[in-house]
Amino acid sequence: MDDIAGRIVLIVDASVPAAARAACDDAAATLARRAGMPVTLAAVPIETLDAVQPVIRRGPGQIRELDPPDPDAMASAPFVRRRDGRPDWGAMWTTFCELALHGGPPQRGALQALRGPSGGDRAGASAPDIEAELRRGIEETTGLATEPAGPAEPGWIAITCASARMAAWLCATIILENVDARVEGLRLLVPAGPGFALEDQVKSVITVVAKTHHYWREHLESARETRS
C-alpha cells in the first residue's frame, strides 16, 4: 500500500487478545461494506500507538473513544438504512422491549445516561443535519409534530403531545430509560445536544420516544377508551 489517502484506517494494539483482533477484523469488513471504500486494519505495538497519539490529536484531527456497552442497558436493535443511505427509523423496530418503568432494561445504562444541555448554552445544540434527522425519526415513528424548543433552549427538541397528561407521562417514563426529558404543558422536550451521533445518541432518543409513545397509544390510551 503506497498511499493511504482516501482510506479509513483502524489502528489496534497488537497485544490485544485474539478474540478482540478477530472482532476488529469483522468491524473493518463491515465498515468497508457500509462506507464503500477501503479500510486498513493496522495492528501495531503499543509503543507505536503512544508515539503517534500526539500527531493524531494535533490540529483538526479528532479521536472518539467508545466504551463497551453498559451491561445493564437494553440490547441495541440493528441500524437500518434506506437505499438512499438515510436511516430508516420506521423499520428499525418491529417490537419493543418492556419499559424500564415496568422492570425492563433501560435504553441506556447508568454509565451512559444521556443528559441534555443546560438552559441557554449556545454551544449545546446539535449540528443542523443531526437535529433534522432526530426530528424526522421522531415524527416517522410517532406521527407527532416536532420543532426546535426555542432560542432560549438550544440543544432541545419539542414534541407536541395530544394532552398535558400524555406529555407528563412520556417525560417521566423516558427519564427512567436514562435519557433526559422535560415537560412544558403539551410539549415534551428531549435532548439534541452537541456531539450527537446517528447510531448512538440520536438512535437512543428516537427509540425511547417511539417505545414510550407506543406503550401510551397501545396500552394506556386504548384501556381508557375501552373503559369509557
Side-chain angles (χ1 to χ4, degrees), residues 2-220:
D2 298 324
D3 189 358
I4 63 171
R7 292 175 178 264
I8 298 172
V9 180
L10 302 181
I11 303 175
V12 60
D13 178 3
S15 65
V16 299
R21 290 277 298 277
C24 290
D25 289 342
D26 292 342
T30 300
L31 183 55
R33 288 195 301 271
R34 296 270 302 268
M37 60 189 300
V39 174
T40 299
L41 179 62
V44 301
I46 187 63
E47 295 81 5
T48 303
L49 289 176
D50 290 339
V52 80
Q53 279 206 52
V55 178
I56 297 175
R57 295 181 185 275
R58 188 172 60 214
Q62 295 182 352
I63 294 179
R64 291 185 61 208
E65 297 179 352
L66 306 178
D67 294 324
D70 191 315
D72 295 328
M74 183 185 76
S76 180
F79 200 87
V80 181
R81 292 184 182 271
R82 307 186 313 196
R83 287 189 175 182
D84 63 5
R86 298 180 71 185
D88 192 348
W89 301 112
M92 283 191 214
W93 307 280
T94 55
T95 59
F96 291 96
C97 71
E98 191 66 87
L99 297 173
L101 175 67
H102 299 302
Q107 170 63 26
R108 298 179 73 90
L111 298 178
Q112 281 81 42
L114 187 53
R115 306 301 181 199
S118 58
D121 181 3
R122 295 297 176 185
S126 289
D129 58 328
I130 292 294
E131 180 179 304
E133 198 60 49
L134 179 55
R135 292 181 57 192
R136 184 178 75 84
I138 292 171
E139 292 175 359
E140 187 174 297
T141 54
T142 68
L144 300 175
T146 69
E147 61 182 350
E153 298 285 355
W156 292 86
I157 294 294
I159 305 166
T160 302
C161 297
S163 66
R165 181 173 180 267
M166 174 186 178
W169 188 88
L170 292 179
C171 178
T173 308
I174 287 171
I175 289 172
L176 293 177
E177 301 285 340
N178 287 326
V179 174
D180 249 358
R182 294 160 45 206
V183 65
E184 296 176 352
L186 297 179
R187 301 204 315 167
L188 168 68
L189 273 60
V190 294
F196 273 27
L198 284 180
E199 298 189 25
D200 187 356
Q201 296 91 347
V202 170
K203 185 182 178 187
S204 287
V205 173
I206 293 172
T207 299
V208 297
V209 173
K211 80 174 189 175
T212 54
H213 175 263
H214 170 83
Y215 195 95
W216 169 269
R217 186 190 65 209
E218 299 296 329
H219 298 275
L220 301 182

